[in-house]
Amino acid sequence: MPSVASIIDKARPVTPRIWGRARPGGQSVVNFMAQTLTDMSNRRSLRIQASLRSTMKFLDIREVCEKSGFTASALRYYEDAGLVQSVARRGLRRQYEPSTLKQLALIAMGRRAGFSLRDIRQILNKNGSPGLPRDTLHAKADELDAQIAELSALRDTLRHVADCPARSHFACERFQTLMRYAQRDVARH
């Protein structure tokens, strides 16, 4: 099998035609060059691996919206906020890496848990993967426990008011007690 250097030397006279518009079948330059090198090596297969972003499968903004459930305006907003990043454009349409779907799932989970976008940006590393600080997560879980306790008390109050057998809610001692607690809560906040 000929050496790569000898193949490249033989390819030099062909190079100007490769970059011109006369590539057969509209092939990319990399594919055409690989085909040319393979043909030049006496039909022995020469494997060329290229790591080019242009060969990756990107998701169009429409596909990301369909798969994630987010609107296009939300994607653009999150991009402006530095939470996701488009990697290319096809015409006027933004293109995203498939890993963007995982980032959006983390954003949705963070928003549901009550994190601000600033908090979520700190949780996502520069490369978009999560860097979950456990102390922050424990603090947020404690906040959620407090909210659950408050909401449970509010639910119980509403159920009692709805089912109270007293003729007037103001005649019910339990209702009066619940109202005093509610007034204290308002004064604290």
Side-chain angles (χ1 to χ4, degrees):
M1 182 166 171
S3 70
V4 174
S6 67
I7 293 173
I8 291 173
D9 286 339
K10 290 178 185 177
R12 281 195 180 126
V14 180
T15 303
R17 286 185 294 158
I18 292 172
W19 296 105
R21 295 178 188 253
R23 289 190 304 272
Q27 293 176 323
S28 70
V29 172
V30 172
N31 290 340
F32 184 68
M33 185 64 135
Q35 183 64 44
T36 302
L37 290 174
T38 302
D39 290 345
M40 292 175 74
S41 66
N42 298 325
R43 302 221 182 253
R44 290 185 185 175
S45 71
L46 174 65
R47 189 167 195 201
I48 296 178
Q49 288 183 326
S51 176
L52 300 173
R53 277 194 149 182
S54 63
T55 61
M56 290 178 63
K57 169 69 173 122
F58 294 135
L59 299 174
D60 184 78
I61 191 169
R62 178 187 48 80
E63 292 174 288
V64 174
C65 291
E66 289 172 358
K67 292 179 179 185
S68 69
F70 284 96
T71 62
S73 61
L75 284 176
R76 289 189 294 271
Y77 178 76
Y78 290 149
E79 190 172 344
D80 290 342
L83 296 170
V84 296
Q85 182 179 3
S86 64
V87 292
R89 286 188 183 262
R90 177 174 280 160
L92 295 176
R93 299 178 75 114
R94 297 170 193 217
Q95 303 289 300
Y96 296 90
E97 290 183 354
S99 63
T100 303
L101 294 173
K102 289 181 183 175
Q103 289 174 285
L104 290 170
L106 284 169
I107 292 168
M109 188 184 328
R111 297 295 288 167
R112 294 274 327 235
F115 285 103
S116 69
L117 290 181
R118 192 175 83 193
D119 294 336
I120 294 170
R121 189 179 318 109
Q122 291 173 347
I123 289 172
L124 291 174
N125 291 334
K126 298 271 189 240
N127 63 0
S129 64
L132 302 171
R134 296 181 190 277
D135 56 335
T136 304
L137 296 175
H138 282 293
K140 183 54 79 172
D142 292 342
E143 284 180 34
L144 290 174
D145 284 339
Q147 286 178 341
I148 289 169
E150 287 179 24
L151 290 172
S152 295
L154 180 60
R155 178 201 59 214
D156 294 344
T157 300
L158 291 173
R159 290 201 191 280
H160 175 75
V161 170
D163 298 334
C164 184
R167 290 181 65 168
S168 167
H169 295 300
F170 294 105
C172 175
E173 252 184 74
R174 185 165 181 213
F175 182 71
Q176 293 295 327
T177 304
L178 292 171
M179 286 195 43
R180 281 192 295 277
Y181 284 126
Q183 286 175 333
R184 280 188 229 153
D185 284 343
V186 170
R188 274 192 281 157
H189 297 295

